[in-house]
């Protein structure tokens, strides 16, 4: 019987119990899922059967889950008893696979691959039976299953001997009339040919394989032509340069002019990957006209192929550049500029997207992004000395592109352009500022990956300037950096903010000390004392220490140190005092021990009286490191450190702090004993 008066919490509890009672229907499907006695009997196997007999029994009479288990564990059976497994189990697996579902087929493909790759001598005598199963299932009606078996076969080819490949794989392939085969079977033939060609001598490839390869290159289905075309790279490397010129190049030329864009794209990619295989005459007389026609056709309306063309463009230009005439060289450069502006209109020096259907606009944006990716390669191709006249406007367009992905890619490769320009890097100072002030944090994030190298090179006068010369000033650099930091600070992307602060450590090599003092120091203090993200706070502490280390004016250094003590070591928030201890760890690494002891040690030791246990806890951990900064002759500081430790031992009430202190002391004593023991061992060594 329930009590009539209940507290609010009790009322809520009983309300939840009533709600749970309404959910008892959940039990019903659980009960129905339990196995009946009859079902359990079906799943029960005689314990007296050995592994082979159990596998045969389950494959013959077991449930699907039991048959799948046998197939998955087939490699284990082969290792334990190869002869009996191949004699009794593998034939049963073949029968099961004839009616098996997709999951079991996929499991079998993986198991047979493991078996084929195992280094067991007895397996070699049974390779025929394994490959028969693999080849039989290549024609499976389920595309996923047939592809799995194909991947099994292709992976197994690496482990199979040449004679086995020729007898078991190539002979059936060559004896079949390809047009009578299904499209998936012909696609599989293409990939098999591309894989096995490297196993045989060029004479065998030319005699036995090239006729079939040519036939598949001219297949009535464009998917087959494209697939075979992509295998021509492997085939070319297998037959050598002489046969390539006579046998493969004509096929590539024809495929590059195919009616299907997929085939043309495959031919184009293959040609680029094989450029080094062609001699200068072939490049000038065959490849250049072919690629030029390909580029023009793509630009006029084959947007799908333009993406691949733009991505490969840098590689294409460098592969052909040595064979170019001046006219050909200029044509490719001008075509690249057209690709960079595809889908844009220029107004007042900036780019705006023209109104296109969304799908087409996205394709054009991808082309421009690929152009941005290739820009450093094109600078090298055009000669950095001609950057201002030939490529500056194009680069500025990419840096101001309306698509974020294009600007992000340009920012990611900015440092490469800076390195290539060398003493002419001042040409792109405006673009540095533009990307630092970009509306998208993605663009800024990409620029930050190499911003230190970028800024240092961009402000350097070159090798002949001398170490004492002033750095080149980049107009508006400091305001742009300040604005970038404020933008990241106000966003939720704290990792970008942390990265930017980390990059600030290069500023002493980029801008003047006064600029750092008046524009950045106070901001570091503000971040340390007000930001809510710990990694950002710590990075600001580290950056502050770097700024202090590089500051050359004594008055400014003293003011900064005084501010550190006042706002951090004696700060009202215990978070600020914790950051002071972080600062101490960093300054120990950055400054000399005497400088640290003079300015930072005493405020750290005074934190022994801190009212917050977390601060005293962190101080305990730092005691050995603080001790290492004090010289043995400095008795006064050693006494203060000892007084600090005694005070903690005598007065500390927080258990965690006491435990930590004792651990630190014990560890220090252990190290001291080890050092003493080592000295004694050395003194005991006999004199030579």
């Amino acid at each position: 019987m329930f009590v009539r008066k209940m507290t609010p919490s009790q009322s809520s509890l009983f309300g939840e119990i009533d709600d749970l009672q309404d959910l008892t229907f959940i039990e019903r499907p659980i009960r129905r899922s339990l196995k009946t006695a009859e079902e359990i009997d079906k799943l029960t196997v005689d314990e007296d059967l050995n592994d082979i007999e159990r596998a045969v029994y389950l494959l013959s009479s077991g449930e699907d889950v039991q048959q799948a288990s046998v197939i998955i564990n087939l490699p284990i059976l082969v290792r334990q008893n190869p002869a009996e497994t191949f004699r009794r189990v593998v034939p049963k697996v073949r029968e099961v696979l004839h009616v098996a579902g997709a999951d079991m087929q996929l499991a079998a493909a993986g198991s047979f691959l493991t078996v084929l790759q195992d280094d067991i001598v007895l397996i070699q005598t049974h390779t025929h039976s394994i490959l028969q199963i693999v080849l039989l299932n290549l024609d499976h009606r389920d595309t996923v299953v047939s592809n799995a078996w194909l991947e099994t076969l292709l992976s197994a080819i690496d482990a199979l001997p040449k004679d086995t490949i020729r007898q078991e794989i190539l002979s059936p392939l060559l004896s079949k009339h390809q047009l009578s085969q299904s499209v998936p079977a012909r696609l599989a033939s293409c990939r098999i040919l591309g894989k096995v060609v490297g196993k045989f001598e060029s004479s065998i490839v030319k005699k036995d394989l090239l006729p079939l390869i040519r036939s598949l290159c001219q297949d009535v289905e464009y998917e087959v032509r494209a697939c075979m075309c992509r295998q021509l790279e492997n085939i070319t490397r297998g037959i050598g340069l002489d046969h390539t010129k006579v046998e493969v190049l004509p096929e590539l030329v024809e495929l590059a002019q195919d009616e299907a864009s997929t085939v043309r794209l495959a031919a184009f990619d293959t040609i680029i990957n094989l450029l080094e295989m062609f001699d200068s005459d072939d490049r000038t007389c065959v490849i250049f006209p072919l690629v030029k026609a390909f580029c023009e056709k793509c630009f006029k309306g084959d947007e799908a192929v333009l993406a691949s063309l733009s991505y490969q463009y840098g590689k294409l230009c460098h592969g052909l550049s040595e064979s170019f005439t001046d006219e050909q060289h200029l044509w490719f450069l001008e075509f690249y500029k057209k690709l960079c502006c595809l889908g844009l209109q220029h107004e007042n020096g900036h780019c705006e997207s023209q109104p296109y259907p969304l799908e087409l606009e996205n394709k054009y944006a991808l082309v421009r992004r690929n152009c941005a990716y290739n820009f450093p390669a094109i600078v090298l191709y055009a000669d950095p000395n001609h950057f201002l006249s030939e490529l500056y406007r194009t680069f500025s367009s990419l840096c101001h592109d309306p698509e974020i992905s294009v600007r992000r890619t340009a920012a990611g490769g900015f440092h490469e352009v800076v390195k290539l320009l060398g003493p002419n890097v001042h040409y792109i100072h405006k673009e540095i500022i533009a990307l630092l002030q970009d509306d998208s944090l993605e663009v800024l994030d990409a620029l930050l990956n190499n911003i230190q190298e970028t800024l240092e090179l961009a402000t350097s006068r070159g090798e002949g300037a001398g170490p004492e010369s002033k750095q080149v000033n980049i107009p508006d650099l400091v305001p742009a950096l300040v604005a970038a930091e404020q933008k990241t600070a106000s966003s939720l992307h704290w990792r970008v903010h942390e990265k930017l602060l980390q990059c600030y450590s290069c500023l002493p090599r980029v801008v003047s000390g006064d600029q750092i003092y008046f524009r950045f120091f106070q901001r570091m203090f503000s971040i340390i004392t007000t930001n809510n993200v710990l990694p950002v706070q710590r990075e600001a502490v580290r950056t502050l220490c770097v700024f202090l280390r590089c500051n050359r004016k004594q008055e400014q250094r003293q003011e900064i140190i005084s501010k550190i003590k006042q706002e951090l070591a004696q700060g009202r928030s215990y978070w600020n005092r914790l950051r002071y201890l972080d600062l101490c760890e960093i300054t120990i690494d950055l400054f000399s021990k005497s400088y640290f002891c003079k300015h930072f040690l005493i405020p750290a030791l005074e934190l022994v009286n801190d009212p917050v246990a977390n601060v005293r806890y962190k101080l305990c951990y730092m005691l050995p490191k603080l001790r290492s900064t004090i010289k043995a002759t400095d008795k006064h500081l050693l006494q203060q450190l000892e007084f600090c430790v005694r005070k903690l031992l005598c007065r500390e009430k927080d258990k965690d702090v006491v435990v930590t202190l004792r651990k630190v002391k014990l560890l220090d004593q252990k190290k001291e004993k080890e050092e003493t023991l080592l000295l004694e061992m050395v003194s005991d060594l006999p004199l030579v």
Side-chain angles (χ1 to χ4, degrees):
M1 185 173 179
F2 291 111
V3 180
R4 290 184 179 273
K5 293 184 179 180
M6 295 184 290
T7 64
S9 61
Q10 289 173 323
S11 176
S12 174
L13 174 61
F14 284 113
E16 291 177 7
I17 291 174
D18 292 339
D19 291 340
L20 290 174
Q21 288 172 346
D22 293 336
L23 300 178
T24 53
F25 68 88
I26 292 176
E27 293 184 3
R28 288 197 291 272
I30 296 174
R31 285 172 180 163
R32 279 203 293 268
S33 69
L34 296 176
K35 300 296 182 183
T36 64
E38 183 180 355
E39 289 171 329
I40 292 174
D41 187 55
K42 284 183 180 180
L43 294 171
T44 303
V45 181
D46 189 348
E47 294 182 0
D48 294 333
L49 297 177
N50 62 37
D51 290 343
I52 298 295
E53 291 170 339
R54 182 182 296 107
V56 172
Y57 172 78
L58 291 176
L59 289 170
S60 303
S61 309
E63 298 291 309
D64 287 351
V65 66
Q66 294 172 313
Q67 292 176 343
S69 177
V70 173
I71 290 173
I72 291 170
N73 289 290
L74 188 63
I76 298 174
L77 287 176
V78 173
R79 295 186 194 108
Q80 293 174 347
N81 194 340
E84 282 298 293
T85 302
F86 281 109
R87 188 176 71 85
R88 301 182 59 191
V89 179
V90 171
K92 287 291 182 183
V93 172
R94 182 170 181 167
E95 293 176 11
V96 168
L97 289 178
H98 185 66
V99 293
D103 290 342
M104 203 174 299
Q105 287 273 353
L106 294 174
S111 290
F112 277 115
L113 174 60
T114 303
V115 171
L116 284 168
Q117 291 177 332
D118 263 351
D119 187 19
I120 300 176
V121 176
L122 285 173
I123 290 179
Q124 301 302 326
T125 61
H126 299 284
T127 300
H128 175 77
S129 61
I130 300 175
L131 287 176
Q132 287 301 307
I133 295 174
V134 175
L135 294 169
L136 182 66
N137 287 283
L138 282 179
D139 295 328
H140 196 280
R141 61 183 179 277
D142 188 320
T143 306
V144 175
V145 172
S146 62
N147 284 337
W149 284 107
L150 177 59
E151 294 300 331
T152 295
L153 179 62
L154 295 175
S155 299
I157 285 172
D158 293 328
L160 295 175
K162 185 190 303 183
D163 291 340
T164 301
I165 294 172
R166 186 162 192 169
Q167 294 170 12
E168 305 293 342
I169 300 174
L170 278 186
S171 293
L173 192 66
L174 296 171
S175 65
K176 294 176 181 177
H177 188 272
Q178 288 298 315
L179 286 178
S180 65
Q181 301 296 308
S182 65
V183 172
R186 279 149 39 211
L187 290 171
S189 296
C190 296
R191 296 191 62 191
I192 292 170
L193 286 168
K195 188 73 174 181
V196 302
V197 70
K199 291 276 187 176
F200 299 98
E201 295 79 11
S202 60
S203 58
I204 295 176
V205 174
K206 183 180 179 182
K207 178 184 175 183
D208 297 336
L209 301 186
L210 277 179
L212 178 56
I213 291 169
R214 281 196 293 267
S215 173
L216 290 168
C217 283
Q218 298 166 8
D219 196 278
V220 294
E221 297 292 338
Y222 76 89
E223 302 104 313
V224 178
R225 300 196 301 274
C227 185
M228 192 66 253
C229 184
R230 292 197 179 277
Q231 306 306 315
L232 290 180
E233 181 181 352
N234 291 335
I235 292 165
T236 295
R237 300 187 188 282
I239 64 176
L241 181 59
D242 293 337
H243 292 317
T244 294
K245 188 169 183 176
V246 177
E247 304 289 348
V248 177
L249 187 54
E251 294 295 336
L252 274 175
V253 171
E254 186 174 346
L255 290 166
Q257 299 169 339
D258 196 277
E259 61 184 14
S261 62
T262 306
V263 180
R264 295 198 302 274
L265 177 57
F268 175 73
D269 289 342
T270 303
I271 287 171
I272 291 177
N273 293 335
L274 291 174
L275 283 176
E276 78 277 5
M277 297 287 291
F278 304 124
D279 58 31
S280 180
D281 289 341
D282 287 334
R283 294 180 192 176
T284 303
C285 302
V286 181
I287 303 300
F288 172 74
L290 186 67
V291 172
K292 181 180 178 183
F294 181 87
C295 293
E296 290 174 338
K297 187 171 184 178
C298 291
F299 197 81
K300 289 177 181 177
D302 204 346
E303 296 85 7
V305 181
L306 271 177
S308 180
L309 169 63
S310 57
Y311 183 76
Q312 299 265 36
Y313 207 83
K315 187 176 181 180
L316 172 66
C317 289
H318 282 280
L320 292 174
S321 59
E322 293 182 2
S323 306
F324 279 162
T325 63
D326 290 343
E327 184 180 352
Q328 291 170 337
H329 187 280
L330 181 61
W331 188 92
F332 270 93
L333 184 59
E334 292 301 318
F335 187 80
Y336 171 79
K337 295 179 187 178
K338 291 180 182 178
L339 290 177
C340 290
C341 298
L342 191 63
L344 297 179
Q345 58 183 358
H346 288 262
E347 293 184 6
N348 301 322
H350 291 279
C351 309
E352 295 181 5
S353 294
Q354 295 185 26
Y356 290 108
L358 181 60
E359 183 180 358
L360 189 57
E361 190 175 317
N362 290 338
K363 288 179 180 178
Y364 286 161
L366 177 58
V367 170
R368 300 198 304 274
R369 187 180 77 192
N370 289 339
C371 288
Y373 168 78
N374 277 290
F375 192 84
I378 299 301
V379 173
L380 199 59
Y381 169 77
D383 188 341
N385 293 323
H386 300 152
F387 176 85
L388 188 61
S389 60
E390 296 290 348
L391 286 172
Y392 172 72
R393 287 189 63 188
T394 300
F395 185 60
S396 182
S397 171
L398 293 171
C399 292
H400 292 91
D401 195 278
E403 284 292 326
I404 292 174
S405 62
V406 180
R407 304 198 305 275
R408 182 182 65 227
T409 305
F414 201 98
H415 65 293
E416 297 290 348
V417 180
V418 167
K419 286 190 286 188
L420 289 170
L421 289 180
N424 294 324
V425 69
H426 58 278
Y427 292 155
I428 58 173
H429 280 178
K430 289 182 180 178
E431 281 60 47
I432 297 176
I433 303 304
L435 293 174
L436 280 171
Q437 296 177 325
D438 197 277
D439 292 335
S440 171
L441 283 182
E442 291 182 38
V443 177
L444 178 60
D445 190 25
L447 185 68
L448 291 179
N449 289 331
N450 297 282
I451 191 65
Q452 296 191 47
E453 181 182 19
T454 297
L455 292 180
E456 288 176 25
L457 289 172
T459 57
S460 171
R461 290 186 182 274
E463 296 179 357
E468 299 300 324
S469 65
K470 293 184 178 179
Q471 295 152 327
V472 176
N473 179 49
I474 301 180
D476 299 324
L477 175 60
V478 170
L481 288 168
V482 171
E485 190 277 321
Q486 290 174 345
K487 183 184 298 180
T488 57
S490 62
S491 74
L492 297 177
H493 301 275
W494 64 265
R495 287 183 176 84
V496 182
H497 192 195
E498 180 189 21
K499 186 191 291 188
L500 178 59
L501 294 177
Q502 186 179 10
C503 295
Y504 271 8
S505 61
C506 76
L507 291 184
R509 301 186 295 276
V510 173
V511 299
S512 69
D514 282 342
Q515 286 176 307
I516 292 175
Y517 178 76
F518 290 109
R519 299 300 299 271
F520 295 100
F521 264 117
Q522 183 53 46
R523 181 56 186 163
M524 293 305 104
F525 279 108
S526 178
I527 295 170
I528 296 167
T529 56
T530 63
N531 195 280
N532 295 323
V533 181
L534 182 58
V536 172
Q537 285 183 318
R538 286 178 170 167
E539 196 55 53
V541 169
R542 191 192 66 84
T543 303
L544 177 66
C545 293
V546 172
F547 288 168
L548 177 61
R549 179 75 175 83
C550 298
N551 190 288
R552 298 181 180 182
K553 295 187 176 180
Q554 187 63 28
E555 291 181 4
Q556 292 180 357
R557 288 168 72 99
Q558 289 298 331
E559 185 178 343
I560 294 164
I561 292 171
S562 175
K563 194 175 183 68
I564 287 173
K565 294 176 181 177
Q566 181 180 350
E567 296 196 13
L568 299 184
Q570 300 164 8
R572 294 179 61 185
S573 169
Y574 82 95
W575 278 101
N576 295 349
R577 302 194 293 276
L578 285 172
R579 296 297 75 77
Y580 179 77
L581 292 176
D582 288 336
L583 182 142
C584 287
E585 289 187 286
I586 296 168
T587 50
I588 288 172
D589 295 330
L590 278 179
F591 293 83
S592 67
K593 293 180 179 180
S594 59
Y595 193 90
F596 172 79
C597 289
K598 179 179 179 181
H599 296 288
F600 301 105
L601 178 60
I602 299 301
L605 295 178
E606 288 174 351
L607 292 176
V608 68
N609 300 311
D610 199 280
V612 178
N614 280 5
V615 178
R616 303 194 303 276
Y617 182 84
K618 186 174 180 66
L619 176 63
C620 289
Y621 263 117
M622 290 186 60
L623 286 174
K625 202 163 190 176
L626 296 176
R627 170 66 179 83
S628 68
T629 64
I630 304 174
K631 295 179 181 179
T633 55
D634 199 332
K635 304 297 183 183
H636 175 67
L637 288 179
L638 287 173
Q639 286 177 354
Q640 287 188 289
L641 178 66
E642 184 65 22
F643 177 74
C644 172
V645 174
R646 289 181 181 277
K647 181 176 282 190
L648 284 169
L649 286 172
C650 297
R651 299 183 183 179
E652 185 57 56
K653 296 180 181 179
D654 187 273
K655 293 181 180 179
D656 291 334
V657 177
V658 172
V659 170
T660 301
L661 179 63
R662 288 175 178 169
K663 283 182 180 179
V664 168
K665 283 188 66 67
L666 288 172
L667 182 61
D668 189 60
Q669 290 172 1
K670 181 182 177 183
K671 289 179 179 179
E672 191 174 343
K673 288 180 181 178
E674 289 174 352
E675 291 165 359
T676 304
L677 181 61
L678 285 171
L679 289 173
E680 291 175 354
M681 291 172 64
V682 171
S683 63
D684 290 340
L685 290 174
L687 296 174
V688 179

